[in-house]
Amino acid sequence: MNVSSSNVTVVLQYRDSVTKAVIKNVIVLVLGITINFIDASLIHTFCKHQIFYMNPRYILFIHLVVNDMIQVTVSVSLFLISYTIYKLNVSVCCALVLLTLYATANTPLNLACMAVECYIAVCMPLRHVQICTIQRTLILIGLIWTVTSFNVLSDLFITLATQPLDFFHSQMSCIRRNVFPSPLIPKKRDITYSVFLGIVWCTIFYTYFRILFAAKTVSKDAKKARNTILLHGFQLLLCMTTYVAPQFVDILQKLFPENFTDSLFAYYIIVHVLPRSISPFIYGLRDHMFRKYLKSIYKVHM
């Protein structure tokens, strides 16, 4: 969100040539459509086969995929808007920003839950069925959205309390700090992000090392789970870069003043697009069962 929002300011201050702007928009649009097509195929595969409904791992995975689709769709939309419309109604922008904030905040928590599920499956296999039930998994997803709501909706409530109603009918570039201008929000955001990420990283490290020790004595399932958590950690690391985007953008502007838009564009692709392409790889291609049913659907359509 921060990166895509920053592109709005950059476009307004440092206009690209028409050719370069078209190339960048085509690249972003093609990548966005491709990722969403893959994610939509995974969701379709999940919905078509009841076997996935009975596995908490796949339920958590498909929840992550839905968050990825929201993130990519809104992010690409804001990128295209920054090159065309420039300004949006504040109320519309608020809705888009809130959607992105939900998806951004949900992802680390979802990754932590998936890591815990892997840990239970490998280190406590006899208790996995009793602990990881479908009902508890759905409750867990509800808790993720509830916890995220306290963080995300507080931005809106603070803005409603500090800004006049006319503010929400005005037009401006769709940047988070524009639609949520209170100085309290960045301070609150830094604290909550630090707490969330601290908890998630502790969970990732704990489950990884527990599975790592189990992998020395157990079958290849433990080793696969260990590699999966490593990928979750890499995905989380990429997601974390969105939290330091304002500071990183300032650094890019100082280091590459003449090619600032190009360096920011590359940063946007790495931070916003790459993490969203990892989820399909982890379960869409690496997972034998998902790969099997995904292939069967494509064979039918062919």
Side-chain angles (χ1 to χ4, degrees):
M1 177 61 224
N2 292 329
V3 180
S4 56
S5 296
S6 299
N7 273 286
V8 180
T9 304
V10 172
V11 169
L12 293 175
Q13 295 178 354
Y14 308 91
R15 294 292 178 87
D16 283 327
S17 64
V18 175
T19 302
K20 186 179 289 187
V22 170
I23 291 173
K24 288 181 178 180
N25 279 271
V26 169
I27 290 174
V28 169
L29 188 61
V30 170
L31 287 174
I33 292 174
T34 302
I35 292 174
N36 275 352
F37 174 77
I38 295 172
D39 287 343
S41 300
L42 295 174
I43 294 173
H44 178 67
T45 303
F46 176 87
C47 295
K48 286 279 289 184
H49 299 93
Q50 190 175 1
I51 189 172
F52 295 121
Y53 301 166
M54 310 308 295
N55 193 322
R57 180 175 304 171
Y58 294 117
I59 295 175
L60 287 171
F61 164 65
I62 218 65
H63 177 247
L64 185 66
V65 170
V66 170
N67 273 279
D68 286 346
M69 287 192 70
I70 295 173
Q71 179 84 358
V72 169
T73 301
V74 178
S75 173
V76 170
S77 299
L78 287 176
F79 188 93
L80 297 177
I81 287 171
S82 71
Y83 276 89
T84 52
I85 302 176
Y86 304 133
K87 293 185 178 182
L88 279 181
N89 179 274
V90 171
S91 298
V92 175
C93 185
C94 276
L96 293 175
V97 172
L98 288 174
L99 272 176
T100 310
L101 292 177
Y102 264 113
T104 302
N106 281 344
T107 296
L109 298 177
N110 202 100
L111 290 174
C113 293
M114 295 177 77
V116 172
E117 190 278 331
C118 282
Y119 159 71
I120 295 173
V122 172
C123 299
M124 295 183 286
L126 299 179
R127 299 184 59 192
H128 181 265
V129 177
Q130 288 78 23
I131 297 174
C132 300
T133 64
I134 305 302
Q135 184 178 5
R136 287 178 177 175
T137 303
L138 296 178
I139 292 173
L140 188 61
I141 291 174
L143 286 174
I144 290 175
W145 281 87
T146 302
V147 171
T148 303
S149 293
F150 287 119
N151 181 36
V152 172
L153 293 182
S154 60
D155 289 4
L156 179 60
F157 293 147
I158 292 173
T159 304
L160 287 171
T162 57
Q163 298 296 322
L165 289 179
D166 292 343
F167 171 77
F168 294 93
H169 298 290
S170 60
Q171 301 271 335
M172 62 178 59
S173 55
C174 193
I175 306 174
R176 182 180 181 180
R177 65 174 177 267
N178 281 355
V179 294
F180 299 130
S182 172
L184 294 174
I185 292 177
K187 297 178 181 178
K188 183 269 302 178
R189 179 192 62 206
D190 292 342
I191 294 173
T192 54
Y193 282 169
S194 299
V195 173
F196 281 175
L197 291 177
I199 294 172
V200 172
W201 273 116
C202 287
T203 303
I204 293 287
F205 280 122
Y206 176 79
T207 54
Y208 173 76
F209 284 110
R210 288 299 301 268
I211 293 175
L212 178 64
F213 295 134
K216 296 179 180 179
T217 57
V218 191
S219 65
K220 64 178 182 179
D221 289 339
K223 296 180 180 179
K224 184 178 179 181
R226 180 194 63 191
N227 293 335
T228 299
I229 292 181
L230 270 181
L231 287 171
H232 286 333
F234 175 63
Q235 187 177 10
L236 179 63
L237 189 64
L238 290 176
C239 291
M240 281 179 60
T241 55
T242 61
Y243 301 141
V244 294
Q247 295 84 355
F248 202 89
V249 167
D250 292 339
I251 294 174
L252 286 176
Q253 190 171 8
K254 292 176 181 178
L255 292 178
F256 308 101
E258 296 180 359
N259 300 308
F260 181 44
T261 57
D262 296 334
S263 57
L264 186 63
F265 176 73
Y267 180 58
Y268 167 78
I269 295 296
I270 293 171
V271 170
H272 245 56
V273 177
L274 184 57
R276 310 302 160 186
S277 62
I278 295 177
S279 297
F281 170 74
I282 293 178
Y283 283 107
L285 299 178
R286 288 180 68 246
D287 186 86
H288 173 73
M289 185 180 298
F290 225 108
R291 187 170 65 248
K292 171 186 172 183
Y293 286 103
L294 192 62
K295 285 181 179 179
S296 66
I297 288 180
Y298 280 112
K299 286 181 181 179
V300 170
H301 288 294
M302 291 175 62

mmCIF file of all heavy atoms in Angstrom, residues 264-295:
data_model
loop_
_atom_site.group_PDB
_atom_site.id
_atom_site.type_symbol
_atom_site.label_atom_id
_atom_site.label_comp_id
_atom_site.label_asym_id
_atom_site.label_seq_id
_atom_site.Cartn_x
_atom_site.Cartn_y
_atom_site.Cartn_z
ATOM 1 N N LEU A 264 11.808 3.381 -8.072
ATOM 2 C CA LEU A 264 10.597 3.168 -7.284
ATOM 3 C C LEU A 264 9.699 2.123 -7.941
ATOM 4 O O LEU A 264 9.068 1.312 -7.255
ATOM 5 C CB LEU A 264 9.838 4.482 -7.117
ATOM 6 C CG LEU A 264 8.619 4.426 -6.183
ATOM 7 C CD1 LEU A 264 9.048 4.080 -4.762
ATOM 8 C CD2 LEU A 264 7.867 5.743 -6.205
ATOM 9 N N PHE A 265 9.672 2.129 -9.271
ATOM 10 C CA PHE A 265 8.885 1.132 -9.995
ATOM 11 C C PHE A 265 9.424 -0.275 -9.737
ATOM 12 O O PHE A 265 8.655 -1.214 -9.483
ATOM 13 C CB PHE A 265 8.911 1.437 -11.494
ATOM 14 C CG PHE A 265 8.209 0.416 -12.335
ATOM 15 C CD1 PHE A 265 6.825 0.328 -12.340
ATOM 16 C CD2 PHE A 265 8.939 -0.465 -13.112
ATOM 17 C CE1 PHE A 265 6.179 -0.623 -13.116
ATOM 18 C CE2 PHE A 265 8.306 -1.422 -13.885
ATOM 19 C CZ PHE A 265 6.919 -1.503 -13.895
ATOM 20 N N ALA A 266 10.751 -0.422 -9.777
ATOM 21 C CA ALA A 266 11.358 -1.722 -9.498
ATOM 22 C C ALA A 266 11.063 -2.158 -8.062
ATOM 23 O O ALA A 266 10.764 -3.337 -7.797
ATOM 24 C CB ALA A 266 12.873 -1.653 -9.729
ATOM 25 N N TYR A 267 11.117 -1.209 -7.143
ATOM 26 C CA TYR A 267 10.816 -1.504 -5.744
ATOM 27 C C TYR A 267 9.361 -1.942 -5.577
ATOM 28 O O TYR A 267 9.053 -2.874 -4.833
ATOM 29 C CB TYR A 267 11.111 -0.263 -4.898
ATOM 30 C CG TYR A 267 10.840 -0.422 -3.421
ATOM 31 C CD1 TYR A 267 11.472 -1.414 -2.689
ATOM 32 C CD2 TYR A 267 9.954 0.435 -2.758
ATOM 33 C CE1 TYR A 267 11.229 -1.555 -1.331
ATOM 34 C CE2 TYR A 267 9.713 0.297 -1.409
ATOM 35 C CZ TYR A 267 10.351 -0.703 -0.695
ATOM 36 O OH TYR A 267 10.106 -0.849 0.649
ATOM 37 N N TYR A 268 8.468 -1.269 -6.311
ATOM 38 C CA TYR A 268 7.048 -1.622 -6.265
ATOM 39 C C TYR A 268 6.826 -3.064 -6.738
ATOM 40 O O TYR A 268 6.076 -3.821 -6.122
ATOM 41 C CB TYR A 268 6.271 -0.646 -7.143
ATOM 42 C CG TYR A 268 4.850 -1.075 -7.432
ATOM 43 C CD1 TYR A 268 3.846 -0.913 -6.492
ATOM 44 C CD2 TYR A 268 4.509 -1.647 -8.664
ATOM 45 C CE1 TYR A 268 2.548 -1.304 -6.751
ATOM 46 C CE2 TYR A 268 3.213 -2.038 -8.926
ATOM 47 C CZ TYR A 268 2.243 -1.865 -7.973
ATOM 48 O OH TYR A 268 0.959 -2.260 -8.237
ATOM 49 N N ILE A 269 7.490 -3.442 -7.809
ATOM 50 C CA ILE A 269 7.336 -4.807 -8.339
ATOM 51 C C ILE A 269 7.850 -5.832 -7.326
ATOM 52 O O ILE A 269 7.199 -6.849 -7.046
ATOM 53 C CB ILE A 269 8.097 -4.957 -9.670
ATOM 54 C CG1 ILE A 269 7.487 -4.059 -10.751
ATOM 55 C CG2 ILE A 269 8.081 -6.419 -10.122
ATOM 56 C CD1 ILE A 269 6.071 -4.410 -11.134
ATOM 57 N N ILE A 270 9.018 -5.563 -6.749
ATOM 58 C CA ILE A 270 9.633 -6.514 -5.821
ATOM 59 C C ILE A 270 8.813 -6.643 -4.539
ATOM 60 O O ILE A 270 8.604 -7.744 -4.022
ATOM 61 C CB ILE A 270 11.076 -6.080 -5.493
ATOM 62 C CG1 ILE A 270 11.945 -6.192 -6.749
ATOM 63 C CG2 ILE A 270 11.658 -6.935 -4.371
ATOM 64 C CD1 ILE A 270 13.330 -5.596 -6.591
ATOM 65 N N VAL A 271 8.332 -5.521 -4.027
ATOM 66 C CA VAL A 271 7.639 -5.527 -2.734
ATOM 67 C C VAL A 271 6.180 -5.940 -2.872
ATOM 68 O O VAL A 271 5.655 -6.687 -2.048
ATOM 69 C CB VAL A 271 7.734 -4.129 -2.074
ATOM 70 C CG1 VAL A 271 6.823 -4.026 -0.866
ATOM 71 C CG2 VAL A 271 9.173 -3.853 -1.678
ATOM 72 N N HIS A 272 5.515 -5.470 -3.917
ATOM 73 C CA HIS A 272 4.076 -5.680 -4.011
ATOM 74 C C HIS A 272 3.696 -6.900 -4.835
ATOM 75 O O HIS A 272 2.685 -7.536 -4.555
ATOM 76 C CB HIS A 272 3.414 -4.440 -4.612
ATOM 77 C CG HIS A 272 2.495 -3.752 -3.654
ATOM 78 N ND1 HIS A 272 2.894 -3.314 -2.416
ATOM 79 C CD2 HIS A 272 1.186 -3.443 -3.746
ATOM 80 C CE1 HIS A 272 1.877 -2.756 -1.792
ATOM 81 N NE2 HIS A 272 0.824 -2.830 -2.578
ATOM 82 N N VAL A 273 4.485 -7.208 -5.857
ATOM 83 C CA VAL A 273 4.107 -8.293 -6.766
ATOM 84 C C VAL A 273 4.745 -9.612 -6.358
ATOM 85 O O VAL A 273 4.063 -10.640 -6.285
ATOM 86 C CB VAL A 273 4.496 -7.938 -8.217
ATOM 87 C CG1 VAL A 273 4.180 -9.097 -9.160
ATOM 88 C CG2 VAL A 273 3.755 -6.682 -8.664
ATOM 89 N N LEU A 274 6.034 -9.598 -6.081
ATOM 90 C CA LEU A 274 6.744 -10.844 -5.781
ATOM 91 C C LEU A 274 6.169 -11.611 -4.599
ATOM 92 O O LEU A 274 5.950 -12.825 -4.703
ATOM 93 C CB LEU A 274 8.233 -10.543 -5.553
ATOM 94 C CG LEU A 274 9.134 -11.755 -5.329
ATOM 95 C CD1 LEU A 274 9.048 -12.719 -6.497
ATOM 96 C CD2 LEU A 274 10.587 -11.324 -5.112
ATOM 97 N N PRO A 275 5.868 -10.971 -3.455
ATOM 98 C CA PRO A 275 5.302 -11.741 -2.336
ATOM 99 C C PRO A 275 3.974 -12.407 -2.679
ATOM 100 O O PRO A 275 3.658 -13.477 -2.164
ATOM 101 C CB PRO A 275 5.119 -10.696 -1.235
ATOM 102 C CG PRO A 275 6.063 -9.606 -1.574
ATOM 103 C CD PRO A 275 6.109 -9.570 -3.064
ATOM 104 N N ARG A 276 3.202 -11.788 -3.555
ATOM 105 C CA ARG A 276 1.892 -12.341 -3.911
ATOM 106 C C ARG A 276 2.006 -13.490 -4.902
ATOM 107 O O ARG A 276 1.020 -14.178 -5.156
ATOM 108 C CB ARG A 276 0.995 -11.249 -4.511
ATOM 109 C CG ARG A 276 0.938 -9.984 -3.691
ATOM 110 C CD ARG A 276 0.443 -10.218 -2.280
ATOM 111 N NE ARG A 276 0.828 -9.112 -1.399
ATOM 112 C CZ ARG A 276 0.623 -9.097 -0.102
ATOM 113 N NH1 ARG A 276 0.036 -10.105 0.492
ATOM 114 N NH2 ARG A 276 1.014 -8.078 0.633
ATOM 115 N N SER A 277 3.175 -13.698 -5.478
ATOM 116 C CA SER A 277 3.359 -14.814 -6.408
ATOM 117 C C SER A 277 3.952 -16.038 -5.720
ATOM 118 O O SER A 277 4.081 -17.099 -6.335
ATOM 119 C CB SER A 277 4.282 -14.388 -7.557
ATOM 120 O OG SER A 277 5.569 -14.042 -7.071
ATOM 121 N N ILE A 278 4.301 -15.896 -4.434
ATOM 122 C CA ILE A 278 4.893 -17.019 -3.710
ATOM 123 C C ILE A 278 3.837 -18.008 -3.241
ATOM 124 O O ILE A 278 4.042 -19.219 -3.276
ATOM 125 C CB ILE A 278 5.729 -16.500 -2.520
ATOM 126 C CG1 ILE A 278 6.925 -15.699 -3.032
ATOM 127 C CG2 ILE A 278 6.218 -17.651 -1.649
ATOM 128 C CD1 ILE A 278 7.760 -15.083 -1.936
ATOM 129 N N SER A 279 2.681 -17.502 -2.814
ATOM 130 C CA SER A 279 1.623 -18.371 -2.295
ATOM 131 C C SER A 279 1.209 -19.458 -3.281
ATOM 132 O O SER A 279 1.104 -20.634 -2.907
ATOM 133 C CB SER A 279 0.403 -17.539 -1.893
ATOM 134 O OG SER A 279 0.724 -16.654 -0.850
ATOM 135 N N PRO A 280 0.954 -19.116 -4.573
ATOM 136 C CA PRO A 280 0.603 -20.179 -5.511
ATOM 137 C C PRO A 280 1.702 -21.229 -5.658
ATOM 138 O O PRO A 280 1.416 -22.410 -5.862
ATOM 139 C CB PRO A 280 0.396 -19.428 -6.836
ATOM 140 C CG PRO A 280 0.044 -18.046 -6.426
ATOM 141 C CD PRO A 280 0.839 -17.784 -5.182
ATOM 142 N N PHE A 281 2.954 -20.800 -5.540
ATOM 143 C CA PHE A 281 4.063 -21.753 -5.665
ATOM 144 C C PHE A 281 4.106 -22.716 -4.495
ATOM 145 O O PHE A 281 4.320 -23.920 -4.669
ATOM 146 C CB PHE A 281 5.385 -20.989 -5.763
ATOM 147 C CG PHE A 281 6.598 -21.872 -5.652
ATOM 148 C CD1 PHE A 281 6.974 -22.692 -6.696
ATOM 149 C CD2 PHE A 281 7.357 -21.892 -4.485
ATOM 150 C CE1 PHE A 281 8.089 -23.529 -6.586
ATOM 151 C CE2 PHE A 281 8.456 -22.714 -4.363
ATOM 152 C CZ PHE A 281 8.823 -23.529 -5.425
ATOM 153 N N ILE A 282 3.866 -22.203 -3.280
ATOM 154 C CA ILE A 282 4.005 -23.037 -2.085
ATOM 155 C C ILE A 282 3.014 -24.197 -2.093
ATOM 156 O O ILE A 282 3.368 -25.343 -1.805
ATOM 157 C CB ILE A 282 3.814 -22.181 -0.820
ATOM 158 C CG1 ILE A 282 4.968 -21.178 -0.686
ATOM 159 C CG2 ILE A 282 3.754 -23.053 0.429
ATOM 160 C CD1 ILE A 282 4.844 -20.246 0.499
ATOM 161 N N TYR A 283 1.751 -23.891 -2.440
ATOM 162 C CA TYR A 283 0.732 -24.942 -2.396
ATOM 163 C C TYR A 283 0.182 -25.294 -3.775
ATOM 164 O O TYR A 283 -0.308 -26.395 -3.984
ATOM 165 C CB TYR A 283 -0.424 -24.527 -1.481
ATOM 166 C CG TYR A 283 -0.078 -24.674 -0.025
ATOM 167 C CD1 TYR A 283 0.172 -23.560 0.770
ATOM 168 C CD2 TYR A 283 0.023 -25.922 0.565
ATOM 169 C CE1 TYR A 283 0.495 -23.694 2.106
ATOM 170 C CE2 TYR A 283 0.351 -26.064 1.899
ATOM 171 C CZ TYR A 283 0.581 -24.942 2.658
ATOM 172 O OH TYR A 283 0.918 -25.077 3.975
ATOM 173 N N GLY A 284 0.231 -24.362 -4.712
ATOM 174 C CA GLY A 284 -0.303 -24.651 -6.039
ATOM 175 C C GLY A 284 0.592 -25.561 -6.859
ATOM 176 O O GLY A 284 0.111 -26.369 -7.642
ATOM 177 N N LEU A 285 1.896 -25.429 -6.682
ATOM 178 C CA LEU A 285 2.840 -26.224 -7.473
ATOM 179 C C LEU A 285 3.584 -27.252 -6.636
ATOM 180 O O LEU A 285 3.805 -28.378 -7.086
ATOM 181 C CB LEU A 285 3.848 -25.287 -8.159
ATOM 182 C CG LEU A 285 3.243 -24.258 -9.129
ATOM 183 C CD1 LEU A 285 4.336 -23.362 -9.691
ATOM 184 C CD2 LEU A 285 2.499 -24.956 -10.252
ATOM 185 N N ARG A 286 3.974 -26.909 -5.419
ATOM 186 C CA ARG A 286 4.732 -27.836 -4.583
ATOM 187 C C ARG A 286 3.852 -28.916 -3.960
ATOM 188 O O ARG A 286 4.315 -30.028 -3.726
ATOM 189 C CB ARG A 286 5.446 -27.071 -3.459
ATOM 190 C CG ARG A 286 6.626 -26.227 -3.920
ATOM 191 C CD ARG A 286 7.267 -25.504 -2.760
ATOM 192 N NE ARG A 286 7.935 -26.410 -1.837
ATOM 193 C CZ ARG A 286 7.544 -26.621 -0.588
ATOM 194 N NH1 ARG A 286 6.477 -26.003 -0.112
ATOM 195 N NH2 ARG A 286 8.215 -27.445 0.191
ATOM 196 N N ASP A 287 2.610 -28.574 -3.662
ATOM 197 C CA ASP A 287 1.737 -29.530 -2.993
ATOM 198 C C ASP A 287 1.192 -30.544 -3.998
ATOM 199 O O ASP A 287 0.557 -30.180 -4.998
ATOM 200 C CB ASP A 287 0.577 -28.786 -2.323
ATOM 201 C CG ASP A 287 -0.289 -29.714 -1.491
ATOM 202 O OD1 ASP A 287 0.054 -29.936 -0.317
ATOM 203 O OD2 ASP A 287 -1.290 -30.221 -2.022
ATOM 204 N N HIS A 288 1.421 -31.829 -3.709
ATOM 205 C CA HIS A 288 1.051 -32.892 -4.647
ATOM 206 C C HIS A 288 -0.455 -32.933 -4.884
ATOM 207 O O HIS A 288 -0.914 -33.027 -6.041
ATOM 208 C CB HIS A 288 1.536 -34.245 -4.119
ATOM 209 C CG HIS A 288 1.065 -35.408 -4.938
ATOM 210 N ND1 HIS A 288 1.575 -35.684 -6.194
ATOM 211 C CD2 HIS A 288 0.108 -36.353 -4.684
ATOM 212 C CE1 HIS A 288 0.961 -36.760 -6.680
ATOM 213 N NE2 HIS A 288 0.079 -37.181 -5.794
ATOM 214 N N MET A 289 -1.245 -32.848 -3.834
ATOM 215 C CA MET A 289 -2.690 -32.962 -3.978
ATOM 216 C C MET A 289 -3.274 -31.791 -4.757
ATOM 217 O O MET A 289 -4.087 -31.980 -5.672
ATOM 218 C CB MET A 289 -3.358 -33.055 -2.601
ATOM 219 C CG MET A 289 -4.862 -33.305 -2.665
ATOM 220 S SD MET A 289 -5.630 -33.411 -1.022
ATOM 221 C CE MET A 289 -4.774 -34.846 -0.359
ATOM 222 N N PHE A 290 -2.853 -30.586 -4.424
ATOM 223 C CA PHE A 290 -3.381 -29.419 -5.126
ATOM 224 C C PHE A 290 -2.964 -29.453 -6.594
ATOM 225 O O PHE A 290 -3.755 -29.124 -7.488
ATOM 226 C CB PHE A 290 -2.882 -28.134 -4.463
ATOM 227 C CG PHE A 290 -3.955 -27.116 -4.269
ATOM 228 C CD1 PHE A 290 -4.452 -26.835 -3.013
ATOM 229 C CD2 PHE A 290 -4.503 -26.432 -5.349
ATOM 230 C CE1 PHE A 290 -5.465 -25.889 -2.825
ATOM 231 C CE2 PHE A 290 -5.506 -25.500 -5.175
ATOM 232 C CZ PHE A 290 -5.986 -25.224 -3.908
ATOM 233 N N ARG A 291 -1.726 -29.841 -6.845
ATOM 234 C CA ARG A 291 -1.227 -29.910 -8.220
ATOM 235 C C ARG A 291 -2.021 -30.933 -9.038
ATOM 236 O O ARG A 291 -2.347 -30.715 -10.202
ATOM 237 C CB ARG A 291 0.259 -30.257 -8.215
ATOM 238 C CG ARG A 291 0.901 -30.177 -9.593
ATOM 239 C CD ARG A 291 2.405 -30.280 -9.502
ATOM 240 N NE ARG A 291 2.845 -31.569 -9.006
ATOM 241 C CZ ARG A 291 3.432 -31.756 -7.838
ATOM 242 N NH1 ARG A 291 3.626 -30.721 -7.026
ATOM 243 N NH2 ARG A 291 3.822 -32.959 -7.453
ATOM 244 N N LYS A 292 -2.349 -32.049 -8.391
ATOM 245 C CA LYS A 292 -3.107 -33.114 -9.059
ATOM 246 C C LYS A 292 -4.477 -32.626 -9.511
ATOM 247 O O LYS A 292 -4.867 -32.800 -10.677
ATOM 248 C CB LYS A 292 -3.251 -34.300 -8.094
ATOM 249 C CG LYS A 292 -4.204 -35.381 -8.575
ATOM 250 C CD LYS A 292 -4.397 -36.424 -7.486
ATOM 251 C CE LYS A 292 -5.496 -37.411 -7.861
ATOM 252 N NZ LYS A 292 -5.739 -38.406 -6.765
ATOM 253 N N TYR A 293 -5.231 -31.980 -8.612
ATOM 254 C CA TYR A 293 -6.576 -31.522 -8.959
ATOM 255 C C TYR A 293 -6.540 -30.304 -9.869
ATOM 256 O O TYR A 293 -7.450 -30.099 -10.678
ATOM 257 C CB TYR A 293 -7.364 -31.222 -7.688
ATOM 258 C CG TYR A 293 -7.806 -32.463 -6.958
ATOM 259 C CD1 TYR A 293 -7.145 -32.897 -5.806
ATOM 260 C CD2 TYR A 293 -8.886 -33.218 -7.416
ATOM 261 C CE1 TYR A 293 -7.545 -34.049 -5.138
ATOM 262 C CE2 TYR A 293 -9.287 -34.364 -6.752
ATOM 263 C CZ TYR A 293 -8.620 -34.770 -5.613
ATOM 264 O OH TYR A 293 -9.023 -35.901 -4.960
ATOM 265 N N LEU A 294 -5.495 -29.492 -9.738
ATOM 266 C CA LEU A 294 -5.357 -28.335 -10.621
ATOM 267 C C LEU A 294 -5.141 -28.787 -12.071
ATOM 268 O O LEU A 294 -5.730 -28.243 -13.001
ATOM 269 C CB LEU A 294 -4.180 -27.468 -10.146
ATOM 270 C CG LEU A 294 -4.040 -26.084 -10.767
ATOM 271 C CD1 LEU A 294 -5.266 -25.232 -10.455
ATOM 272 C CD2 LEU A 294 -2.776 -25.391 -10.254
ATOM 273 N N LYS A 295 -4.315 -29.827 -12.249
ATOM 274 C CA LYS A 295 -4.078 -30.373 -13.582
ATOM 275 C C LYS A 295 -5.341 -30.977 -14.159
ATOM 276 O O LYS A 295 -5.624 -30.837 -15.356
ATOM 277 C CB LYS A 295 -2.979 -31.436 -13.514
ATOM 278 C CG LYS A 295 -1.583 -30.891 -13.348
ATOM 279 C CD LYS A 295 -0.557 -32.021 -13.312
ATOM 280 C CE LYS A 295 0.862 -31.488 -13.173
ATOM 281 N NZ LYS A 295 1.857 -32.601 -13.119
#
